[in-house]
Amino acid sequence: MSGHSKWHTIRRAKSANDQRRGQLFTKLARDITIATREGGSGDPELNFRLRLAIEKARANNMPNENIQRAIERGLGKSNEAAIEEIFYEGYGPGGVAILIEAATDNRNRTSSDVRATFNKNGGSPGEPGSVSWMFEQKGLITVDLSATKRDPDELQLLAIDAGADDVIVDDETLEIYCEWTQLNAVRQALLDQGVPISNAEKIMRAKTLIQPDEKDALAALRLIEKLEDLDDVQKVYSNLDITTELVERFDS
């Protein structure tokens, strides 16, 4: 997905530089809580998804006490309401399929917010299963090419040898896709080769991408941004072909 990393780099930069910093910590904490509960352990050495969530939180300078509190919530040791993971589906302008990963302690509130955001931004909410079949669970490893002097082609071959299914190279990043169950092995193999990994996570990847006209594509990006800004939304996936040119037009 050309431009995928650039889009999310812009989103992370906005989160780091404005009032959404607190919202970012909330999303990171919920990811830790869900990873703890899903993995059945608060020990990152025994729970790989939790390890990734903690690494991401620390990379964003989240305080250790916040991390520990989120783990305790996932273990059911706090008095806070339980967090559940829910997926929502729908369509954006130009027929773009959108899959939303949410973490919430109030399903009715989240459903209402997601539905309203679709309706106010040219989209339409869908029923469960309406678009999820267009996506598949994958592991994604991102390498910041500015952090290494190694040749991208060499890194691409290393990733394939480590078990990657697909590797996408652009001017700034290397995106390495693999089976989610193989993410830990691929990640460790790359680390053993001295490859600097900036991020590793579980994602839902679109099986095929679409390219609506520019007006609809920009409108779809606006909808995706509005959905990502919702307090209970963790990640938003789509089958929009997010080209670098599209991101630059959107950000201009």
Side-chain angles (χ1 to χ4, degrees):
M1 188 186 298
S2 173
H4 172 83
S5 288
K6 185 164 186 177
W7 166 251
H8 287 284
T9 297
I10 290 170
R11 297 293 294 136
R12 283 196 297 272
K14 287 182 177 180
S15 294
N17 295 329
D18 65 15
Q19 69 272 21
R20 286 196 289 269
R21 183 70 174 181
Q23 184 192 48
L24 174 62
F25 281 177
T26 298
K27 291 178 185 291
L28 292 170
R30 287 178 175 173
D31 196 25
I32 291 170
T33 296
I34 290 172
T36 301
R37 190 182 66 187
E38 183 184 83
S41 172
D43 184 350
E45 295 301 317
L46 303 175
N47 185 339
F48 179 58
R49 182 177 175 184
L50 175 60
R51 189 192 319 167
L52 294 180
I54 291 174
E55 288 178 358
K56 189 172 184 178
R58 287 177 174 159
N60 284 278
N61 300 312
M62 187 172 176
N64 286 332
E65 55 265 30
N66 293 38
I67 293 173
Q68 188 57 41
R69 187 161 57 245
I71 291 173
E72 290 176 356
R73 189 174 190 180
L75 295 172
K77 293 182 178 180
S78 73
N79 294 323
E80 297 175 278
I83 295 288
E84 61 177 326
E85 188 174 51
I86 308 172
F87 282 86
Y88 297 94
E89 306 174 38
Y91 286 94
V96 173
I98 297 176
L99 183 63
I100 301 156
E101 179 185 323
T104 180
D105 57 5
N106 187 325
R107 182 187 290 253
N108 290 336
R109 177 193 66 223
T110 308
S111 298
S112 176
D113 288 347
V114 169
R115 183 173 294 275
T117 302
F118 268 113
N119 292 333
K120 290 177 182 177
N121 293 278
S124 57
E127 296 298 320
S130 58
V131 304
S132 58
W133 60 273
M134 302 183 197
F135 297 81
E136 56 186 346
Q137 190 179 82
K138 289 288 183 180
L140 169 61
I141 297 169
T142 306
V143 177
D144 182 356
L145 293 177
S146 67
T148 179
K149 295 181 179 179
R150 296 171 77 165
D151 183 77
D153 290 338
E154 177 196 357
L155 294 174
Q156 188 172 13
L157 290 174
L158 285 175
I160 293 170
D161 288 343
D165 294 337
D166 190 19
V167 182
I168 297 177
V169 185
D170 66 21
D171 294 337
E172 301 174 355
T173 60
L174 194 76
E175 290 185 345
I176 301 165
Y177 294 90
C178 64
E179 294 299 320
W180 160 242
T181 55
Q182 296 300 309
L183 180 60
N184 190 23
V186 175
R187 172 180 175 271
Q188 191 58 53
L190 292 171
L191 289 173
D192 290 344
Q193 292 289 331
V195 178
I197 293 173
S198 58
N199 188 47
E201 60 185 325
K202 179 174 72 173
I203 66 161
M204 299 298 292
R205 189 187 190 193
K207 297 176 183 177
T208 57
L209 302 177
I210 66 170
Q211 291 181 315
D213 63 44
E214 185 176 279
K215 180 180 178 182
D216 283 339
L218 290 171
L221 276 185
R222 282 192 290 272
L223 170 58
I224 290 169
E225 183 177 53
K226 293 293 185 183
L227 289 166
E228 287 182 336
D229 283 343
L230 294 177
D231 289 342
D232 297 334
V233 170
Q234 297 293 100
K235 297 175 184 175
V236 180
Y237 307 104
S238 80
N239 66 346
L240 174 65
D241 186 4
I242 305 176
T243 63
T244 300
E245 293 76 18
L246 178 63
V247 174
E248 289 173 347
R249 287 294 303 276
F250 179 82
D251 197 47
S252 62

